[in-house]
Amino acid sequence: MWLLKYSKRLALLQLLLLQLLLLSPAAAKKDKPEISSHKFVNAPSNFFYFDDSNTILLHNREGGIVHRSEDAGKTWDKVDIGRGEAWDIWRHPHDNQKAYIMGKESTHWHTNDQGKTWQDFEIRNARPSLFRAPLSFHAKHSDRVLIHGEVCKMRGLFDCEERTFYTKDGFETVGMLRKNTRGCVFAHATPEFTTGDDDKNEDRIVCVTTGRISLDRREHRLAVSDNYFEDEYEPNLEGDRTVQGIINIAVVKGYLVAAARAPNTDELAMYVTDDASTWHRAVFPTDSRLKEDAYTILESTSYSIQVDVMTIEPPNPMGVLFTSNSNGTYFTKNIPYTNRNMNGIVDFEKVQGIQGIVLVNVVDNYRDVEGSFGREEKRLKSQISFDDGRAFMDLTAGGESLHLHSVTEINNIGRVFSSPAPGVVMGVGNTGKYLKDYEEGDLYVSDDAGLTWTLALEEAHKYEFGDQGSILVAIYDEGPTDIIQYSLNHGKEWHKVDLPKSKIRAKALTTTPDSTSTKFFLWGTKGGGSRTEHWVFSIDFEDMHEDKCKDSDFENWPARVDKDGEPTCVMGRKQFYHRRRADADCFIREKKFEETEPDFETCKCRKEDFECDYNFVRSQDGKGCVRDGPLPDPEGACKDGAEKYKASSGYRKIPGNGCEGGVDLEEEEDRDCEDTLKPPVSGEINTERTTFSAQSFRSYFYLERAETSSESSKVGKDETVVMRTDKSEVYFSRDHGKTWKQVLKGEEIKDIYPHPHFNDACYFVTTGKVVHYTINRGDSFEKFEAPSEPTRDRDLAALGFHADYKPWLIWTGAVDCDKSSGTCHNNAWYSTDRGGNWNYLRRFVRKCEFIKEEGRGDKKKLVYCEQFKDEKLDGPLELQSSDNWFADFKTHFDNIVDFATMSEFIIVASKDQSDTDSLKVDASVDGQTFADALFPSNFNAKAYTVLDSHTHAVFLHVTVGRRQDAEYGSIVKSNSNGTSYVLSLDRVNRNTPGYVDFEKMLVLEGVALVNVVANIEEAEKGSGKKLKTMITHNDGAEWSLLKAPQKDPEGKPYECNTDNVADCSLHLHGYTERRDPRDVFSSPSAVGLMMAVGNVGEYLTEKSEKTSDTFITRDGGIEWHAVKKGNYMWEYGDQGSIIVIVRDTVSTNEIFYSLDEGQTWIPYKFSNNKVHVAILSTVPSDNSLNFLLWGQEEDSDSEIVTFNLDFSQIKERQEQCNLNENDPNDPDSDYYLWEPKHPLSDSNCLFGHVAQYHRKIPERSCYNGRSIQHLHNIKKNCECTRADFECDYNFEPAKDGSCKLVSGLEPPDHSKVCKEDPDRVSYFEPTGYRRVPLSDCEGGNELEKYESKEVPCRGHEKDFEEAHRGLSGFWIFILAVVLPIGIASAVGYWVWQNWDGKFGRIRLGDQGSAFDADRPWIKYPIAAVSGVVAVLAAVPLLVGGLWRWARGLFGGGSRYTTRGSFARGRGDYAVVDEDELLGEDEDEEV
């Protein structure tokens, strides 16, 4: 009992003693923060605070583990989700209770209580996307989340489809939003953004999606839905036009921004909306253009977007800072020469919480850096603006200029300079003229938002703000340290505290996002190498003050002041903060996790509070607003003879601006009624004639503006043409030949090389070493000296270009050609600075080319060279590659004929060691590993021509008959990965150089025309060939003769019976007879239209005025109509709404034009003198209202002449056509939906679906303008029919149309799929049929499985027994003949651009003018029309495609030619025999 009483008394005594201690001054106020530590096995890969809490989530990716701390890092617990499963962690940006752990595969986790508990959820069969952030959030409803994933086949190697999923209930349920997405966002993704409609705010989602039938990035588009994609529509971005080529979307404060790119340019178009409904194109000053990977959307405000645009390219990039008006459509320049790094990060940061204050770093020696290509180091200076970037001034410390390290070399996490602590900013830097290295910097602090600075600590430190600026913490950042330092009076005084462990190297120092906490989190490492230890520290200042701040401890601080210290106005208000005084001895405890809100004082309105109103833009001097086009007048205001009306002054108050009184620039002004009227039009075609003192044109090229160009939508837009005469004189025209200017006078220009991937650049090679060039379409010219004179091989290009890096060049030059003792040969050099410096690549080469891969690692330096073995010109050619400028290299083949790139393949023709008279073909999809291409067993490839590869399959012409002037062969077609070929059609005509009468129709899927030899036996005995024209509508699966029109051009019936197609059909003169390879049948923008010259009869007759007529089809080749007697050239304009024809081979002074797709023709006399017209041309896209005639007048022997024909003034083309993409049946629409069909089908099904295309109603008097996305929709999918199948490998078409096994051959071995995919359970035995790669038919007559036996793969017999009933054989069959090269499917991409834009318009190049008939590439215009001989120059955006450049078709073109000018996707065409592989000469013409 006594013991119990004693114990109680002792306890009471201890309690009393404790209370006394707590009340004593020594215990109430600690003299240093409390520091605790924790060791982790691996380095943290990500960590964050939950907002308004001390809870931290930390992720270790190496171990797949997540840890959680509730006390700012003092103690840690492991999150229990299964070891090694965590791939990444994400915090919900709008709900501080929610976070997410993303797993490596389909299972993930979410928390609703800051990580106390976790629930798993599954995205079925999908893993997180590798290409974009996996989650997108809703700003209002935190339970609504979008998930970006990918579903992969073939064991997840290459064949992946991106999909977006969604939840509306916090992952209780998950549904699929849409397939084939490339990123989606809620419109209401930020608190600032609103659609203006509550319902749309709830559910509106905007996605980037693939094209309707193509995965090509150039077809990517926007899709919008208000019901989670049960329905969707494509918004109009440019007037009433939708836009393709969308590459990205982002929500920036109150704006939704989309960027689009077009082929052959790096210029982007940026589209902005502030309501997710009405979009506008962002307009930048004329001297500034957005470029891909060359602009950065910066931290913006609720009333403007700020963008930095790169003006100087890497390796020392610089930019210009722009700020938009309030709706994000017009941008004005703030400050030039901003510093940015190679990743697009810009030295730009706003001071947090204060409107209008911006810190930037600028390049002071920009002139030296600009032309140095990285040799001159940038000298940086720091500047600050207090008025949203209108004016900048130097930072100062102690009377000297101060320069700070900024965002481009960030050394901590979070913001660089500021935090929510009002007005307190810090930075590492130095005083003096320029910014020095980080290790030479000191820590500086400012408590007036950057107006004045003082030295805080010597040497560089990491730093952080706490308790709204009451606490500043820093740690040494130039090496290991065992102390931290802190200040409690805005950096005036600093105190040191020892860390509990030995020295660490600081990695990150942070605190809560709102900087209101008194607790800090530090991560550092100790030791090095395999012994590196990872330590985290909790630094707690909570007990260092006993007092809470009182009203007397605060000051009313003006956030922005002028140079005299007076408060200034931004957005019509002065801003003040109630903040703790620097010398106050207290903490702001009661406001923990509450950010300080500013007070505002209204200002009087000034000019700066107004912006340009709609239909007005900033004047050139930036001092006013001027009209941008005609002004609309209020209805009725200008009637009854009125001369004036009230309208906008040109200004409006910036939305959200709070100013009152003062200046009022919004007051309406009197405007002249005549300003509302359009200028009168002449109603006539305007003609401009220009003569040149020369005998002939040697070459010419269009440098067409891309759709994303800032000039593309302007009236009188730039349509640049460059031309060379036989006197080696060069002329430029910026207005499509209306006016010409001679450039480079006195220089003997041998060849012109337009850059095949960037239309603004063009190179001019002289006969010596000097090369001139322009990178701005002839505005200015520079030059460099090449390491040698250009190659003397007339079939090789001297210059090679990189598809991504404009300054990268390869020079192939002649060496030892003028020395009697030397052996004339070619050497190759490379330059990465546009000829400023040259380095050796290889000696004794035939050619070297850049090979660019997309999606297979960073091999931007990959180069292939053909080098003569042992540097002996009589030795065999070796094919070598290197990705480090041949510091080392790999030899792939030791005896090749040539190589070409095609889509994503590299095709190599080499000598067959077992038969030296035959060629062996190998292909590669990765540029390193090659595999044999598998041809039908009865084919002996001694010569072949690569025709096309843009419809999911490769077409090859294999020569069978090689007797001179009697050549013919068979067209074979590959499966979807290009490795297995089957017969499509035999007896196809080719000429002696190897070019084939084969042409694919542009835009429409699967339509091609050929000429076949009908009298093979007689032709092989010496008789002339008799040709017939055939057409396919299902990509070569079936061919038929062309049904002739009933009447000739004069309305008379033809002599033969046109109902008897076998003896009386239409025959067309094809590619082998073309004088100009750009004169193709179809157009890249006129859907369904083709024109041709030919005759009606049993066979094709000689091309002459008496026997030939000109024909047109409007339905993709099903029905043809006779247009004119005789031979005519033709061109399409305004996407086919204008067609111009002119006599060919006969002098004339008259053209005919049609405004209704060739139903009626109107004559127009363009000259009083007769002219022999050699070429009729227009821009490659066929989307101009201008045409150009090139020729020579009859009475002139010493002059040549051009005539520009301008149709922009005719009365029928004054109004732009109205297109309602979302309601194509709108009665006010000027378009209708057209469905192509197969002539032998009762339905409109082609390739398993019904496609609908927009076409202008021919009778409507309007112009198309901006290019239309012709494909409107895939109306439906169809059941399979015979037309969806072609004959399988070793099968051929029988007379009854069925597929029969070739006598003596074996069917393909479909069991190979089991070896290719060990997880495969079964396969189907061959039926003789395989699906056309383009077809996506479903059900019906599936011939590849018809009467076919399904067989289990070896080792999977039990699996087969359990699952075979539900197993689909289609996918198995498609892969049945995949060779080792396989898996990466040769996705069919539409060859949208040939860089000269046409299917073969004019042979570009130096050499190659369509008039330079002596050159082989002109005399025998490059390969087959849609041919892909070598590489599609237009594949810069193809997913998974190898990049290839065109070299010149002209003057230094490669030994094989390409049809690079033809297709909208630039099909390159190749011919291969023992002497050459024709294939890659990228047409250099435009």
Side-chain angles (χ1 to χ4, degrees), residues 66 145 148 162 481 483 508 638 707 722 739 762 779 879 1019 1264 1316 1427 1469:
V66 177
V145 182
H148 299 120
E162 287 193 68
T481 182
I483 63 170
C638 286
E707 286 288 323
V722 58
T739 59
C762 193
D779 285 345
L879 181 62
N1264 285 302
E1316 296 298 324
Y1469 176 111

Side-chain angles (χ1 to χ4, degrees), residues 1354-1485:
R1354 180 175 297 179
H1356 287 276
E1357 289 80 3
K1358 291 183 179 181
D1359 296 333
F1360 175 75
E1361 291 177 5
E1362 296 176 0
H1364 74 281
R1365 288 184 180 181
L1367 185 63
S1368 168
F1370 169 63
W1371 177 246
I1372 297 176
F1373 178 79
I1374 289 298
L1375 295 178
V1377 290
V1378 176
L1379 294 180
I1381 184 178
I1383 293 188
S1385 53
V1387 182
Y1389 302 102
W1390 286 3
V1391 208
W1392 168 251
Q1393 87 220 65
N1394 79 58
W1395 62 268
D1396 72 33
K1398 292 262 188 175
F1399 222 13
R1401 281 260 156 130
I1402 261 196
R1403 226 10 233 298
L1404 286 199
D1406 88 330
Q1407 349 140 329
S1409 118
F1411 305 94
D1412 191 355
D1414 292 335
R1415 301 249 176 147
W1417 49 89
I1418 297 307
K1419 185 175 181 181
Y1420 303 104
I1422 24 190
V1425 151
S1426 153
V1428 177
V1429 87
V1431 181
L1432 300 171
V1435 287
L1437 298 179
L1438 298 187
V1439 175
L1442 288 182
W1443 297 66
R1444 183 85 163 49
W1445 4 113
R1447 302 140 23 191
L1449 195 165
F1450 30 99
S1454 75
R1455 297 196 53 215
Y1456 42 88
T1457 43
T1458 67
R1459 270 287 282 282
S1461 320
F1462 334 148
R1464 81 173 219 180
R1466 179 171 194 119
D1468 293 326
Y1469 176 111
V1471 175
V1472 184
D1473 58 21
E1474 293 102 334
D1475 298 318
E1476 80 185 319
L1477 168 63
L1478 285 168
E1480 164 110 43
D1481 183 341
E1482 303 305 325
D1483 260 299
E1484 281 73 296
E1485 287 148 85

Side-chain angles (χ1 to χ4, degrees), residues 1022-1204:
S1023 299
K1025 288 188 284 190
K1026 294 181 179 180
L1027 305 180
K1028 287 176 174 281
T1029 299
M1030 302 188 76
I1031 190 170
T1032 178
H1033 294 271
N1034 57 1
D1035 211 36
E1038 297 172 299
W1039 297 85
S1040 61
L1041 295 170
L1042 288 181
K1043 183 171 177 56
Q1046 296 292 322
K1047 297 180 180 180
D1048 70 9
E1050 297 175 347
K1052 300 176 183 179
Y1054 285 101
E1055 295 180 358
C1056 61
N1057 180 8
T1058 56
D1059 292 330
N1060 181 8
V1061 179
D1063 297 326
C1064 185
S1065 59
L1066 176 61
H1067 310 289
L1068 307 176
H1069 293 278
Y1071 188 77
T1072 59
E1073 298 183 70
R1074 270 188 202 144
R1075 181 176 70 250
D1076 184 345
R1078 289 178 286 192
D1079 291 338
V1080 295
F1081 298 144
S1082 58
S1083 164
S1085 60
V1087 179
L1089 297 181
M1090 285 193 286
M1091 293 195 71
V1093 172
N1095 62 274
V1096 172
E1098 187 176 3
Y1099 304 110
L1100 181 66
T1101 60
E1102 183 181 357
K1103 188 176 182 180
S1104 69
E1105 286 296 309
K1106 293 182 179 180
T1107 60
S1108 300
D1109 295 333
T1110 302
F1111 298 87
I1112 191 171
T1113 177
R1114 306 180 189 96
D1115 56 8
I1118 296 176
E1119 186 176 355
W1120 291 81
H1121 307 272
V1123 170
K1124 291 288 181 182
K1125 297 288 290 183
N1127 301 326
Y1128 282 79
M1129 293 179 280
W1130 58 89
E1131 271 296 354
Y1132 307 91
D1134 189 42
Q1135 303 175 58
S1137 87
I1138 302 174
I1139 306 175
V1140 174
I1141 60 175
V1142 65
R1143 295 297 293 268
D1144 189 9
T1145 70
V1146 176
S1147 294
T1148 183
N1149 60 356
E1150 184 179 56
I1151 58 107
F1152 292 87
Y1153 68 94
S1154 175
L1155 304 179
D1156 55 9
E1157 296 186 347
Q1159 297 179 58
T1160 59
W1161 295 89
I1162 305 167
Y1164 171 72
K1165 185 177 180 181
F1166 65 85
S1167 175
N1168 291 324
N1169 299 322
K1170 290 288 185 73
V1171 179
H1172 176 74
V1173 179
I1175 287 292
L1176 166 63
S1177 68
T1178 187
V1179 296
S1181 67
D1182 288 346
N1183 195 24
S1184 175
L1185 293 171
N1186 284 264
F1187 299 81
L1188 202 54
L1189 300 174
W1190 308 72
Q1192 191 169 38
E1193 293 177 331
E1194 280 190 335
D1195 58 354
S1196 175
D1197 296 328
S1198 59
E1199 288 185 334
I1200 49 180
V1201 64
T1202 61
F1203 292 88
N1204 167 272

